[in-house]
Amino acid sequence: MEKRKRQKAESKKVSFLATVSTPQNEEEVKQLLNRIGQLQRTIVKIRNTNEEKVAQLKTRLETKITPLIEELNCLVEACYSYASTHRQELTQQGKRKIIKWSTGVLGWRRGKPTVRLIKNEREVISKLEAMGLDEFVNTKKTINKAALARELAVAKSLPGIELIQLEFFFLRPGGGEEISRQVKQYKL
């Protein structure tokens, strides 16, 4: 059933697109702008209505699952409390890290070591460089495109650099939002 509705909607979209023709005068363009504004307002209204419904559903969902999450967290904490108190016994004096039961598994594992800065990063970088430990400092070189865009004559003469300029068509129906499309790309 849902597939048929989708197919009908797609066929309507295709047939509608086929019936839109290029306006022949300014009055027809004005009519199209008016219709675009109407469509934008309808789309916003539908989106807002749906967003309200989604928010209501999320609230209902949170109301239902919050007590379950709280119970789950309490049960996990209780298991941890027991396991940490009886860790030596459960792990056979540290010989095992994982305890398997018919109802589930628990255990301890360590993550990979991570580095955490306890001082200002710039200070640490300066000290590492002063000590000759440059391999512990990242250096990333990139092209300064903004500077090249300010110096077009220089940028044009450089190998591996291409200057382009994009052209956009835009429209803004009265009271509506601007719609913009890239239509051309020029090499400078």
Side-chain angles (χ1 to χ4, degrees):
M1 185 73 165
E2 189 65 36
K3 190 176 181 181
R4 285 184 194 164
K5 287 181 182 177
R6 202 175 325 120
Q7 286 173 339
K8 278 186 176 181
E10 287 173 3
S11 67
K12 285 181 182 178
K13 179 173 68 174
V14 171
S15 64
F16 175 76
L17 290 175
T19 62
V20 176
S21 60
T22 302
Q24 301 300 309
N25 55 51
E26 288 182 18
E27 189 57 40
E28 289 180 2
V29 173
K30 290 176 187 176
Q31 289 173 358
L32 292 179
L33 280 171
N34 185 44
R35 179 64 181 146
I36 290 168
Q38 290 172 347
L39 291 171
Q40 284 182 334
R41 289 184 291 280
T42 303
I43 290 167
V44 166
K45 183 178 177 182
I46 291 169
R47 280 190 178 143
N48 289 343
T49 301
N50 285 333
E51 286 172 7
E52 288 173 17
K53 289 178 183 176
V54 167
Q56 290 170 355
L57 288 172
K58 283 183 180 180
T59 301
R60 276 192 241 144
L61 171 71
E62 289 301 319
T63 302
K64 287 181 180 180
I65 67 170
T66 296
L68 302 175
I69 291 171
E70 289 172 0
E71 180 184 358
L72 182 135
N73 289 335
C74 288
L75 296 175
V76 169
E77 189 58 37
C79 287
Y80 172 72
S81 179
Y82 174 84
S84 62
T85 303
H86 296 87
R87 185 172 184 164
Q88 291 300 313
E89 172 189 332
L90 291 170
T91 62
Q92 298 174 348
Q93 313 319 319
K95 293 179 185 172
R96 297 171 39 189
K97 291 183 180 180
I98 299 172
I99 297 87
K100 294 181 182 179
W101 291 312
S102 62
T103 57
V105 177
L106 61 84
W108 291 263
R109 68 171 70 109
R110 290 189 180 188
K112 293 180 180 181
T114 59
V115 175
R116 182 176 50 165
L117 295 175
I118 56 174
K119 290 187 175 183
N120 182 305
E121 186 173 18
R122 288 184 179 167
E123 287 178 38
V124 175
I125 289 171
S126 295
K127 288 179 182 177
L128 289 171
E129 289 174 337
M131 297 169 70
L133 300 173
D134 293 336
E135 69 269 21
F136 298 120
V137 178
N138 287 330
T139 304
K140 183 178 177 182
K141 292 185 178 185
T142 60
I143 303 293
N144 187 342
K145 294 179 182 178
L148 286 170
R150 288 190 300 269
E151 300 290 336
L152 294 178
V154 173
K156 281 182 184 180
S157 67
L158 296 174
I161 303 292
E162 179 179 78
L163 298 174
I164 60 169
Q165 190 169 31
L166 304 177
E167 180 178 79
F168 296 87
F169 170 77
F170 74 94
L171 59 83
R172 184 182 319 109
E177 293 182 29
E178 183 172 300
I179 298 173
S180 177
R181 303 270 191 272
Q182 178 185 331
V183 292
K184 285 189 183 179
Q185 176 175 306
Y186 297 99
K187 288 186 181 182
L188 300 179

